[in-house]
Amino acid sequence: MVIAIIYLHKFCNPGLGVGLVQISSPTNGVLLILCMVPELINLPQHLKKIISGFTTNKVPEHLDAIVIGSGIGGLGVASILAKTGKRVLVLEQHDQAGGCCHTFTEKGFEFDVGIHYIGELQEYKPFRHLVDQITDGQLQWASLDNPYDMVVLGSPENRREYPIYSGRKRFTEELKKHFPEEKEAIDKFVALVKKVAKGVSFMAVLKMIPMPLAKFLICSGLLRLFSPFYKMASRSLTDVVSELTSNKELQAVFSYIFGTYGVIPKDASFSLHSLLVSHYLEGAWYPKGGASEIAYHIIPTIEKAGGAVLVRAPVQSILVNEAKEAYGVTVRKGQEEVHIHAPIVISDAGLFNTYESLLPKEMQSLPAIQSQLSMVKHGEAGFSVFIGLNGTKEELGLTATNYWIYPENNLDELVENYLNSSKEDAVKLAPVVYIASPSAKDPTCEERNPGKSMLSLITFTRYEWFEDWKDERVNNRGEEYKNLKESFVKNLVDAAIEIFPRIKGKIELVEAGTPVTNQYYIAAPRGEIYGCDHNRSRFNPETSAAIRSQTPVKNLFLTGQDVFLCGFAGALAGALTCGSAVLGRNLHLDLLRLKIRLKTTNSKKNS
């Protein structure tokens, strides 16, 4: 018998796990063995870096810390610690590092899954300095078009488009062209947004000062007195914009970006909304080379200090000793459990996963842990559609502008009706559709994918609509699941064709991810995109102070968006807060000092 061994690599097809071995039945005396083993393939260095599979011999000795999860919160804090000489091991359950910063490729089309646009990346901004620090300045960014967002209200027969421009002056000027009778309301809105957003620094303060002092600031009223952010945190977005204007259309335009944190305006904190509007006010950017460049440029910093980032390493539990101190983790490797020890354990797996799944049962019941869990709830689940197109962005009319589509301007009512409907009715009601083209945003995409373009579409769904299939095998969940998914897909694709009519007839590939897809690939407990729900109660000062990087379990820390805020910037702020707790120093202040030092140095050079 002839044995033919064929090594395959299907890098990002979610259906086939890397490492899978398929053996065919002998045919004509030939036994075919198909091995998905990326380490044995001559892969580009870029891919090797982010898909290094877990084996015990790759675990560094004398670890200083273990990080569970390789989202930007996990990679960020690992890089920060590595900068101080710490040897850190990052463990990722998926088959590539990056969490929501990863990309996947199918039939020659490359898609981002969570990085769509990022603000505050001007060279003088502290956030830019942080990103440059954790990537050693190697990550490059491309500006989106201006307008960077387009708000679309109404049905196709009665569509109204409102471009959102970057630059505070341009932002207000363009809105006033569409709402000439609302100039005062627009000015007040922008001024209030800027004022409230500046007060977010007090969130970092609350999470790092001793708890008795935090309680004193809250109970005495001093916090709300000195922080506009916490003064407005309990006010809903709907209430505030209604006070500014009675124009329903302008209220919707003021509120449109609620989709970036997943809470409808009447339940959303105006303070959080102010942060998001302010975050993009001076522009929006996208990583050159795609979202996977983020992990690719962070990992060398971790490795340089003797650490490692290993994938296909599902952490089963956090090891806790009799003194209630975390001292390592267990990783499932085939049918075995591997114990890895370190004096510090950091979780980027999210509050619910960490407290309800990874900790031993006796630790889960601790009053302090139950108290934190009672303060938050799961966020809404997401539904994504990825469209592969034949043609360049010029041929298809695609631009580096994000589209936010709403059937009407009554946003609260639209979303509430949708989320309270049955899954059969929900497929007809999509109250918000986000559409963007990663290929149009990335100037290097044409080099990697000549003649091809991509669109990403996102809306919200209820986890309960797909929950019945959570335990079924990926890509084998049955006809009912497939039909439900395709019903959502059809309506979302139709919405994309309405915006970009030239893509009709050019669609080669359509893939979709449901809440149970998110549950499987990014370990989101209920398919949520933004972790813990970002409703108003999340921004109570008491909640902000209680949910911090330090946990009730000694040597166990939290990082990422559940610590601070959602999204790339919010998760990195969580990493900075976590690094501060681990190292015992205020890294937020260090970042501000770095900004001042660099600004002074540049001024001297220019003079």
Side-chain angles (χ1 to χ4, degrees):
M1 178 183 292
V2 178
I3 299 178
I5 302 180
I6 303 173
Y7 294 105
L8 302 178
H9 173 70
K10 195 158 186 176
F11 170 55
C12 282
N13 183 338
L16 289 176
V18 178
L20 178 68
V21 178
Q22 297 181 347
I23 306 177
S24 72
S25 299
T27 304
N28 297 326
V30 177
L31 177 64
L32 295 181
I33 304 178
L34 309 182
C35 301
M36 305 276 289
V37 186
E39 287 80 2
L40 301 179
I41 304 171
N42 186 26
L43 290 176
Q45 199 62 36
H46 173 95
L47 299 187
K48 288 181 180 178
K49 188 67 68 178
I50 61 177
I51 61 169
S52 179
F54 175 83
T55 57
T56 53
N57 65 323
K58 290 183 183 178
V59 175
E61 295 181 347
H62 310 299
L63 289 170
D64 293 300
I66 296 169
V67 177
I68 305 168
S70 70
I72 191 58
L75 289 177
V77 74
S79 181
I80 289 167
L81 296 180
K83 286 278 187 176
T84 68
K86 303 292 185 187
R87 186 173 294 187
V88 185
L89 172 64
V90 181
L91 298 170
E92 169 59 48
Q93 58 95 30
H94 192 21
D95 58 17
Q96 64 170 299
C100 286
C101 296
H102 82 268
T103 59
F104 74 93
T105 302
E106 186 69 34
K107 294 184 179 178
F109 296 101
E110 180 184 325
F111 300 99
D112 55 32
V113 297
I115 297 296
H116 305 302
Y117 58 140
I118 297 167
E120 295 191 34
L121 286 171
Q122 303 96 312
E123 290 187 359
Y124 60 86
K125 288 284 189 178
F127 180 64
R128 175 59 181 268
H129 296 319
L130 174 57
V131 174
D132 285 347
Q133 284 293 308
I134 64 173
T135 61
D136 278 339
Q138 297 302 301
L139 188 58
Q140 297 182 320
W141 300 90
S143 296
L144 268 63
D145 290 343
N146 209 9
Y148 63 91
D149 275 349
M150 184 71 73
V151 183
V152 182
L153 300 178
S155 63
E157 302 79 29
N158 183 32
R159 175 176 295 149
R160 291 94 64 196
E161 293 188 349
Y162 301 99
I164 307 298
Y165 287 84
S166 61
R168 177 171 176 170
K169 185 177 180 182
R170 185 83 187 272
F171 177 89
T172 55
E173 285 177 347
E174 296 294 338
L175 278 185
K176 288 173 184 178
K177 289 178 184 178
H178 291 276
F179 301 97
E181 305 300 318
E182 299 288 342
K183 293 180 180 179
E184 184 179 355
I186 293 168
D187 285 335
K188 284 183 177 179
F189 175 76
V190 175
L192 187 58
V193 158
K194 294 289 287 183
K195 179 182 178 181
V196 172
K198 284 181 180 177
V200 72
S201 57
F202 278 87
M203 181 180 288
V205 171
L206 277 185
K207 291 180 180 297
M208 291 192 292
I209 61 176
M211 187 61 78
L213 180 54
K215 288 181 177 179
F216 170 74
L217 289 175
I218 295 167
C219 295
S220 66
L222 290 173
L223 181 66
R224 287 185 172 88
L225 180 65
F226 289 112
S227 171
F229 181 88
Y230 280 108
K231 184 177 181 179
M232 298 293 289
S234 62
R235 299 289 312 281
S236 78
L237 174 58
T238 294
D239 286 346
V240 174
V241 298
S242 297
E243 291 173 1
L244 293 174
T245 177
S246 59
N247 187 313
K248 295 294 184 184
E249 196 88 344
L250 182 56
Q251 289 176 14
V253 174
F254 281 162
S255 305
Y256 84 93
I257 207 170
F258 78 85
T260 58
Y261 52 84
V263 181
I264 62 176
K266 76 181 188 66
D267 294 330
S269 165
F270 182 77
S271 293
L272 172 61
H273 191 78
S274 295
L275 284 179
L276 268 296
V277 174
S278 180
H279 183 69
Y280 294 114
L281 201 53
E282 298 300 332
W285 287 262
Y286 186 81
K288 286 185 180 180
S292 61
E293 288 286 303
I294 296 169
Y296 174 66
H297 288 300
I298 293 176
I299 291 173
T301 305
I302 298 167
E303 293 177 337
K304 199 179 299 181
V309 178
L310 302 178
V311 303
R312 302 190 298 282
V315 172
Q316 298 300 290
S317 61
I318 296 168
L319 298 172
V320 180
N321 62 23
E322 292 182 358
K324 297 183 179 179
E325 301 169 331
Y327 67 94
V329 300
T330 61
V331 176
R332 188 179 71 237
K333 179 65 175 174
Q335 299 301 313
E336 299 179 4
E337 283 192 347
V338 180
H339 287 216
I340 306 172
H341 298 160
I344 297 293
V345 178
I346 299 170
S347 178
D348 188 36
L351 196 74
F352 288 105
N353 278 334
T354 304
Y355 285 167
E356 295 183 335
S357 299
L358 296 178
L359 281 177
K361 292 291 184 185
E362 62 273 18
M363 303 304 295
Q364 295 177 23
S365 60
L366 289 175
I369 285 177
Q370 290 302 312
S371 175
Q372 288 187 28
L373 289 171
S374 70
M375 294 178 175
V376 292
K377 66 175 187 176
H378 294 275
E380 291 295 349
F383 188 102
S384 304
V385 177
F386 307 99
I387 303 176
L389 302 159
N390 284 319
T392 65
K393 63 180 180 180
E394 292 82 8
E395 293 167 345
L396 300 172
L398 304 179
T399 62
T401 299
N402 306 294
Y403 281 77
W404 292 90
I405 304 169
Y406 301 91
E408 262 310 331
N409 60 26
N410 54 336
L411 305 187
D412 283 321
E413 185 180 347
L414 278 172
V415 181
E416 276 197 311
N417 289 342
Y418 168 74
L419 293 177
N420 290 328
S421 66
S422 67
K423 60 189 176 189
E424 291 77 18
D425 291 334
V427 297
K428 312 165 192 171
L429 299 174
V432 51
V433 182
Y434 168 84
I435 304 177
S437 172
S439 53
K441 295 176 186 178
D442 178 10
T444 72
C445 190
E446 178 65 22
E447 302 169 18
R448 301 192 310 279
N449 309 283
K452 294 182 182 292
S453 296
M454 286 70 78
L455 282 176
S456 296
L457 287 60
I458 302 172
T459 191
F460 293 100
T461 54
R462 295 294 301 272
Y463 173 71
E464 289 80 4
W465 295 339
F466 295 88
E467 187 176 13
D468 289 345
W469 297 279
K470 65 182 174 65
D471 297 321
E472 301 296 324
R473 285 181 57 195
V474 176
N475 285 350
N476 191 26
R477 292 192 169 109
E479 283 300 310
E480 188 179 354
Y481 172 82
K482 182 181 177 182
N483 292 338
L484 177 61
K485 186 168 73 169
E486 288 180 351
S487 297
F488 277 97
V489 168
K490 181 184 182 305
N491 287 327
L492 295 176
V493 171
D494 287 346
I497 293 173
E498 289 288 347
I499 298 297
F500 301 111
R502 279 192 262 170
I503 71 173
K504 192 171 185 179
K506 299 291 185 178
I507 297 175
E508 183 178 324
L509 173 75
V510 178
E511 293 281 350
T514 72
V516 291
T517 310
N518 297 340
Q519 191 178 46
Y520 182 82
Y521 288 111
I522 61 172
R526 292 175 60 84
E528 55 268 58
I529 302 174
Y530 301 121
C532 295
D533 195 64
H534 282 64
N535 56 14
R536 276 181 287 162
S537 64
R538 167 83 180 264
F539 298 96
N540 288 337
E542 295 81 5
T543 304
S544 291
I547 298 177
R548 47 178 60 198
S549 285
Q550 297 97 326
T551 73
V553 181
K554 190 176 180 182
N555 302 332
L556 173 63
F557 297 82
L558 299 174
T559 185
Q561 59 184 1
D562 283 356
V563 172
F564 214 86
L565 296 169
C566 62
F568 182 85
L572 263 186
L576 202 62
T577 304
C578 181
S580 299
V582 172
L583 297 173
R585 60 182 298 167
N586 190 329
L587 298 179
H588 292 272
L589 282 180
D590 286 349
L591 189 61
L592 290 176
R593 293 189 190 103
L594 175 64
K595 172 197 170 182
I596 295 168
R597 188 165 69 247
L598 291 174
K599 186 177 181 181
T600 302
T601 302
N602 291 335
S603 297
K604 288 179 179 178
K605 286 181 180 178
N606 294 332
S607 61

